[in-house]
Amino acid sequence: MDLDLDQDLDPSKDDLPLRANTSHMLVRHYVLDLMVHFETEVISGSVVLFLETGKGAARFCRAELGTQPSPAFTNHTSGMECPAFDSASEVEACGGMTGGTLDKGCCHGGMQSSTEADGGAQSSKEEAWEVGAHSDFVLVLDCCDLAVERVEEVDVASVPGMGVLGVGGGEISFDWQMGGSSTYLIHRLVSMPSSQWELQHDLYSQCSRAPTLPGEGDLLFCTDRWSLQIRKKGVQTPQAFPHALRIWYQTKPEGASVRWTRDQSGRPCVYTSGSPINNRALFPCQEPPVAMSTWQARVRAPSDCVVLLSGENEARPDLEKTGFSRWDYHVTMPMPASTFTIAVGHWVEAKAPPASTAETDPDTATETEGLTEPQPCCHVDYPCRFPLGAAQAQAVIPHRVFAPSCLLQRAAVTLLPLLPPCLAAAHTILGVHPFPRLDVLIVPPGFSSLGMASPHVMFLSQTVLSGERHLSGSRLCHEIAHAWFGLAIGARDWTEEWISEGFATYLEDVFWVRAQQLSSQEAEDQCKLKALLRWRRLRDELQNSEEELQILRPNKESTGEVSESGASVVKHALNPGKSFMQVHYLKGYFLLKFLANKIGEKQFLSFFHLFVHKYHGQLILSQDFLRMLFGHFPELQRQGLTLEAVYADWLDQPGIPETLLRGGEACFQSSLLEEVKEELVKWIHFGGCHGKSRKRKRVGPKVNFRELTPDQLVLLLELLLEEEELSVTSLRMLEKTYGLQGQDAEVRHRWCELVVKHKHAAAYRDVERFLMQDQAMGVYLYGELMLHEDARQQALARRCFARAREDMDPAAHAVVEEMIL
């Protein structure tokens, strides 16, 4: 039977396979030892995996000890059953990592040599892999664009420090009889209580440096396009498979998990860019969210570089004799491997003024009357911050800001004053910060998003530094919200992005109005205006996107289900256009607004606090949130709302839910909106007095235009975009009246759209500047430039793409290239 999971997968548009057989074995801890080489754009080193048998291992064992074949996993794309591995010819049928070549390694040969590409060596590798391939257990890891050199079993029993674990008394279970003393030692190691995490990490570190197991230490392995497959000759069950592996490898420059580029100061850097393939091109790992693990990482980089990483500790460099500096980080909270983040470059820390204690305003406390007091933590054992009194009282966690030297002052002036109030506002609503510290980094201009949150690290686009503090403050609040929704609480099925993005979008507004210390009326008006802008954006996006991409729960009742081995696929994850869609943000946001209106915002936010306390450190599905919500608020059912109706109307269908559609824009009336409408009338009248068709210009009465907030300006420009004609005089007056080039990127984006629509050639430089400096938001401007079939505009688009393409994010590059070619 062919291993043909790739045959139905279009690498640029379709689903992402998660190959790891997590039901058979789970990685509990990674120890990475990496070196960064800027001259070759390669990261080399090793990763040591500490594993435990999974919940499906017993079923696998029964099958192997009987007459049944090895468990198969289901190809969720085609619906067929496929084995976790097969013969060399069958692996080759789906192509190797480089498109058609089978990449195999075998035991007894040490590290792979570059001279082993000849036919004889390749043939011997294939023969070695095939012997026993149909009866041996195979560990499958997610892996892509990695040059794996050797896989070996680590002799943990040779580590003197492991003696503290002992073998213990009493009867040894069947699993340990099969796996031996090393397996039992690793079980004791990964099961150590959280109170002993420092000893545990020291033992992990010692084991990671242990020698290869004598004799049969080198393991057989092969790679295909999406996975690394490892087996030990004669070992037929997960219980007997080695539970500590060391993989020697190096990344490839084309690997999509990291971006090799230059920062705004022209210095080389590399960082994890939030690729759709996550971290499988950075290190072999188990990518399914259920594979929650901890990690340690030692990273060596040139001594003039700073290494930022998703670690709990604030690492300091140790200079080595090689001229490289060594940075050591660790994490004690189990997290999916996809959340591992690294950034290496010539970053400079922005120095903060003396810290001030942020106190919670008693008037902003959430309403908890009538709700149950928080219960003890429900997650697996780890050193959790939530029960700690000091963490409960810590409204503002320690934080740092890093940027390239040329942006350091702007980053300091913009971000350092905003972080304390934004962090304090989040603490007021949700309670304990899940992570003990935060590093914020301004990443290179090719970053295709305004921000990205990871444990202990936040990436921000340079775009947020423009204008005043409105865009930067709201974006900070959005990414801070991900510490709870997206990280501390993750989606068990990655297709349910709304659990992360919808919640963060909703909480962004809640945090930001509190950080600004607005009055109740000011806060209500600001939130209504934001809601109107989002409504317009959602309506436009749903009119111009595939229905299949508009569903918040695309797997419906099958959400969260995986195959027997634990393998699955993430629908549409490799579609480059999906990266720029906002439907999961906006539709999820409106679902939460809908529920808040049913319950009352104060009670709704109090429920968030309880939900976070119950589910932090765990993975959830939509029904976990909704069932708990309906359980706490039985009045929802008395109002005629059911869980089934929420699933049907909001989660499982494309388009705008009927309840939202009925309200329309009338739901968002506010004083801020009325002011925009008044200004719109003035501009339309001004255009009538200074229009193109007037043969004799008549000087009308002087118009006094109102000063508008950034959100009001965005709405005004969107409404003006609906006008068929705007004179050159009107466009010039608009730019002058509001100083549009000094506004934030959201405002300037709409201004550029006006410039393109009305072919305002005098402002094409503004469009060019936006496309070069605000790449996180400029993708669809290329489409606007090409749409009008104006030679000058199309030349501008091609010129900008030619200049920016080398630094562009791959997804943005693919989308823009399709537009202009």
Side-chain angles (χ1 to χ4, degrees):
M1 185 180 295
D2 287 347
L3 178 60
D4 63 354
L5 280 177
D6 287 334
Q7 290 184 1
D8 295 327
L9 293 170
D10 183 329
S12 67
K13 293 184 178 179
D14 266 329
D15 304 333
L16 172 70
L18 304 180
R19 289 283 183 80
N21 51 346
T22 54
S23 295
H24 300 152
M25 298 195 81
L26 275 173
V27 178
R28 294 289 302 277
H29 189 78
Y30 297 91
V31 178
L32 294 110
D33 192 344
L34 305 175
M35 181 171 285
V36 179
H37 307 274
F38 281 112
E39 66 279 5
T40 56
E41 296 189 347
V42 160
I43 298 174
S44 65
S46 67
V47 58
V48 178
L49 282 60
F50 296 85
L51 301 113
E52 264 204 323
T53 50
K55 293 180 180 179
R59 185 167 58 250
F60 185 103
C61 184
R62 286 193 298 271
E64 286 300 312
L65 294 179
T67 59
Q68 302 175 46
S70 300
F73 61 88
T74 301
N75 177 352
H76 286 225
T77 305
S78 64
M80 68 179 294
E81 291 280 318
C82 302
F85 62 92
D86 220 313
S87 67
S89 61
E90 290 170 336
V91 176
E92 190 169 16
C94 69
M97 292 191 300
T98 56
T101 59
L102 178 67
D103 187 5
K104 282 192 182 289
C106 64
C107 61
H108 313 303
M111 290 195 178
Q112 273 185 270
S113 166
S114 60
T115 63
E116 289 184 339
D118 61 275
Q122 184 69 17
S123 176
S124 65
K125 290 178 186 180
E126 293 180 9
E127 291 173 4
W129 177 262
E130 288 178 2
V131 175
H134 288 279
S135 58
D136 291 349
F137 169 75
V138 171
L139 174 69
V140 183
L141 300 174
D142 294 300
C143 171
C144 178
D145 288 331
L146 293 178
V148 179
E149 299 166 340
R150 188 168 73 197
V151 182
E152 56 195 26
E153 181 177 0
V154 178
D155 185 11
V156 298
S158 69
V159 176
M162 293 292 279
V164 302
L165 301 179
V167 176
E171 183 179 350
I172 298 179
S173 73
F174 173 70
D175 280 4
W176 314 133
Q177 291 177 31
M178 295 186 68
S181 60
S182 292
T183 298
Y184 184 59
L185 281 172
I186 293 169
H187 170 71
R188 294 288 301 273
L189 175 58
V190 301
S191 303
M192 291 178 70
S194 59
S195 59
Q196 297 180 348
W197 74 265
E198 290 177 293
L199 172 61
Q200 182 187 45
H201 277 224
D202 181 57
L203 292 175
Y204 279 137
S205 183
Q206 291 184 49
C207 288
S208 72
R209 298 191 295 270
T212 306
L213 189 71
E216 296 294 323
D218 282 356
L219 305 179
L220 293 157
F221 69 90
C222 76
T223 55
D224 61 23
R225 180 178 176 184
W226 293 113
S227 68
L228 167 64
Q229 302 169 29
I230 305 168
R231 66 182 182 89
K232 184 173 183 178
K233 188 177 179 181
V235 173
Q236 298 182 6
T237 65
Q239 291 88 341
F241 191 79
H243 281 48
L245 304 178
R246 180 164 42 235
I247 303 171
W248 296 91
Y249 73 97
Q250 63 181 23
T251 64
K252 295 183 177 181
E254 66 269 23
S257 292
V258 296
R259 292 286 316 283
W260 298 89
T261 185
R262 292 187 175 272
D263 66 21
Q264 292 86 339
S265 296
R267 309 293 297 276
C269 61
V270 60
Y271 65 100
T272 45
S273 56
S275 167
I277 69 165
N278 299 306
N279 284 323
R280 65 178 67 188
L282 176 58
F283 62 98
C285 58
Q286 291 182 330
E287 291 224 312
V290 296
M292 307 267 279
S293 58
T294 52
W295 57 74
Q296 293 162 270
R298 171 167 289 179
V299 181
R300 294 176 174 87
S303 58
D304 56 347
C305 287
V306 171
V307 176
L308 302 178
L309 194 139
S310 48
E312 294 169 12
N313 58 309
E314 190 176 293
R316 297 296 178 183
D318 291 323
L319 185 62
E320 296 186 331
K321 293 180 180 179
T322 59
F324 277 55
S325 292
R326 184 183 72 243
W327 302 70
D328 292 305
Y329 286 93
H330 67 261
V331 163
T332 61
M333 177 182 177
M335 301 286 292
S338 59
T339 64
F340 181 90
T341 302
I342 186 172
V344 183
H346 299 80
W347 327 119
V348 185
E349 182 181 357
K351 297 301 179 181
S356 59
T357 303
E359 298 292 343
T360 301
D361 185 338
D363 293 335
T364 65
T366 54
E367 184 65 54
T368 58
E369 184 179 353
L371 294 177
T372 308
E373 286 298 312
Q375 299 299 309
C377 296
C378 303
H379 52 68
V380 298
D381 184 34
Y382 69 84
C384 180
R385 287 171 49 82
F386 277 72
L388 303 179
Q392 293 168 7
Q394 189 179 35
V396 180
I397 55 174
H399 52 274
R400 302 183 296 178
V401 173
F402 291 85
S405 56
C406 66
L407 293 178
L408 188 62
Q409 184 176 359
R410 282 172 59 191
V413 170
T414 304
L415 301 178
L416 288 176
L418 285 173
L419 275 163
C422 291
L423 289 166
H427 178 270
T428 298
I429 302 300
L430 299 180
V432 176
H433 289 279
F435 305 105
R437 67 177 197 93
L438 176 65
D439 284 338
V440 180
L441 172 66
I442 301 298
V443 287
F447 189 59
S448 64
S449 171
L450 287 179
M452 186 178 77
S454 303
H456 317 99
V457 178
M458 180 192 299
F459 291 167
L460 291 179
S461 165
Q462 66 180 24
T463 294
V464 305
L465 301 180
S466 62
E468 298 182 1
R469 66 176 194 162
H470 184 74
L471 179 59
S472 51
S474 59
R475 179 48 53 169
L476 273 177
C477 289
H478 183 99
E479 303 305 335
I480 287 170
H482 278 311
W484 287 268
F485 290 96
L487 296 174
I489 300 173
R492 186 149 58 92
D493 188 318
W494 277 343
T495 61
E496 291 202 300
E497 295 173 59
W498 85 274
I499 291 175
S500 174
E501 299 301 351
F503 279 78
T505 304
Y506 177 81
L507 289 167
E508 167 190 328
D509 291 356
V510 176
F511 295 172
W512 182 226
V513 297
R514 290 173 183 269
Q516 295 173 92
Q517 299 183 334
L518 301 181
S519 68
S520 297
Q521 188 59 54
E522 289 171 332
E524 181 181 351
D525 286 346
Q526 180 171 296
C527 289
K528 281 187 174 182
L529 185 58
K530 291 286 287 187
L532 174 58
L533 291 171
R534 291 182 178 126
W535 158 258
R536 294 170 60 87
R537 196 173 309 158
L538 177 63
R539 181 194 60 194
D540 292 346
E541 183 164 296
L542 295 182
Q543 290 173 352
N544 297 283
S545 61
E546 302 172 39
E547 285 195 349
E548 195 174 1
L549 300 179
Q550 300 173 11
I551 301 172
L552 298 189
R553 197 173 67 146
N555 292 330
K556 300 183 180 178
E557 292 80 9
S558 301
T559 300
E561 293 182 6
V562 297
S563 68
E564 185 180 354
S565 71
S568 64
V569 296
V570 184
K571 293 176 74 68
H572 309 300
L574 298 180
N575 185 329
K578 187 175 181 294
S579 302
F580 303 98
M581 291 187 64
Q582 296 284 303
V583 65
H584 287 84
Y585 296 71
L586 302 176
K587 204 170 174 181
Y589 158 83
F590 279 113
L591 170 55
L592 295 174
K593 291 281 287 183
F594 168 74
L595 294 170
N597 289 337
K598 293 281 186 182
I599 296 166
E601 187 180 65
K602 285 189 176 181
Q603 285 291 91
F604 193 54
L605 292 175
S606 296
F607 172 77
F608 271 36
H609 194 284
L610 294 180
F611 183 80
V612 163
H613 194 92
K614 179 176 180 179
Y615 280 104
H616 70 274
Q618 301 174 70
L619 302 172
I620 66 167
L621 299 173
S622 296
Q623 51 260 44
D624 296 314
F625 173 76
L626 292 170
R627 285 171 182 167
M628 183 173 171
L629 181 74
F630 274 70
H632 270 284
F633 299 105
E635 61 266 30
L636 288 172
Q637 289 187 309
R638 291 196 293 269
Q639 295 176 34
L641 186 64
T642 65
L643 279 170
E644 292 72 23
V646 174
Y647 296 146
D649 296 344
W650 289 90
L651 300 181
D652 296 346
Q653 297 294 327
I656 298 177
E658 184 62 31
T659 51
L660 182 59
L661 197 58
R662 281 199 303 266
E665 296 191 7
C667 298
F668 312 117
Q669 295 299 319
S670 68
S671 61
L672 295 178
L673 173 58
E674 292 305 314
E675 290 173 2
V676 173
K677 289 179 176 178
E678 291 172 5
E679 297 306 293
L680 177 64
V681 171
K682 294 178 186 177
W683 281 107
I684 293 174
H685 178 72
F686 180 86
C689 294
H690 300 273
K692 296 179 181 179
S693 61
R694 301 190 64 85
K695 296 181 179 179
R696 180 179 298 176
K697 292 185 180 179
R698 175 169 57 86
V699 179
K702 184 178 180 181
V703 183
N704 293 316
F705 294 105
R706 182 191 298 269
E707 185 175 342
L708 300 176
T709 68
D711 284 339
Q712 286 179 304
L713 271 176
V714 169
L715 181 58
L716 174 64
L717 296 179
E718 286 186 0
L719 294 173
L720 287 172
L721 272 166
E722 297 173 2
E723 296 295 311
E724 287 297 321
E725 288 190 4
L726 279 180
S727 66
V728 171
T729 303
S730 295
L731 290 167
R732 287 174 177 167
M733 190 66 176
L734 264 174
E735 201 285 328
K736 180 180 178 182
T737 299
Y738 300 116
L740 294 178
Q741 278 308 300
Q743 297 288 343
D744 67 36
E746 292 280 8
V747 176
R748 289 185 288 110
H749 185 271
R750 273 59 169 200
W751 165 241
C752 288
E753 288 184 284
L754 274 174
V755 168
V756 172
K757 177 178 179 178
H758 298 289
K759 300 180 182 178
H760 183 34
Y764 282 175
R765 65 185 184 282
D766 297 342
V767 178
E768 183 171 3
R769 189 180 305 117
F770 193 91
L771 291 175
M772 299 307 300
Q773 297 182 4
D774 298 289
Q775 294 181 33
M777 296 179 63
V779 168
Y780 289 111
L781 266 183
Y782 284 98
E784 295 295 322
L785 286 166
M786 301 302 294
L787 180 66
H788 297 289
E789 298 184 352
D790 178 87
R792 188 171 177 184
Q793 290 189 358
Q794 292 183 345
L796 173 60
R798 293 190 176 100
R799 183 169 69 250
C800 290
F801 181 60
R803 289 172 56 193
R805 64 186 305 167
E806 293 300 320
D807 294 326
M808 268 188 175
D809 172 90
H813 186 283
V815 171
V816 174
E817 189 172 50
E818 186 175 350
M819 288 176 180
I820 69 172
L821 295 181

